[in-house]
Amino acid sequence: GGVFANRLGHARPNPFNPATTLEFSLASGSRVTIRVYDAAGRRVSLLVDSEFGPGAYSVRWDGRDGSGRRAASGTYFARMSAGHSVFERKMTLIK
């Protein structure tokens, strides 16, 4: 196995339409949450809330909110919490 660090990669593609992928990795097993927030700090979507072992993973955001509605064009932030680590990445949704 490889040596991993807790990290959240950049969204690819970014800017995006209609979807983008975030890669993340963990040095050790941990509960991971990844939430999407709008520029005003309101939670838009919960992408991940689960236990993961060490390794590399990815998650896709389809540009929709928690109710399945398409989010508006603009700037969003993916915030990942894993153990005591918190990471944030900026994403831009264009239509």
Side-chain angles (χ1 to χ4, degrees):
V3 177
F4 294 97
N6 287 358
R7 72 179 276 282
L8 175 63
H10 293 281
R12 292 180 201 271
N14 188 25
F16 71 97
N17 180 17
T20 189
T21 299
L22 293 154
E23 295 181 348
F24 64 98
S25 62
L26 301 170
S28 59
S30 180
R31 178 165 206 85
V32 174
T33 61
I34 299 178
R35 295 177 174 93
V36 176
Y37 294 88
D38 66 15
R42 292 180 295 254
R43 191 169 90 189
V44 174
S45 186
L46 174 64
L47 301 181
V48 172
D49 185 5
S50 192
E51 294 284 335
F52 288 86
Y57 304 91
S58 66
V59 63
R60 186 173 179 267
W61 183 42
D62 62 3
R64 295 182 183 274
D65 68 15
S67 300
R69 292 183 297 265
R70 299 263 319 142
S73 294
T75 300
Y76 293 87
F77 296 89
R79 189 173 303 143
M80 173 181 136
S81 298
H84 299 292
S85 302
V86 178
F87 304 90
E88 192 170 89
R89 291 285 183 243
K90 184 162 83 169
M91 306 174 290
T92 303
L93 171 59
I94 56 174
K95 294 201 177 170

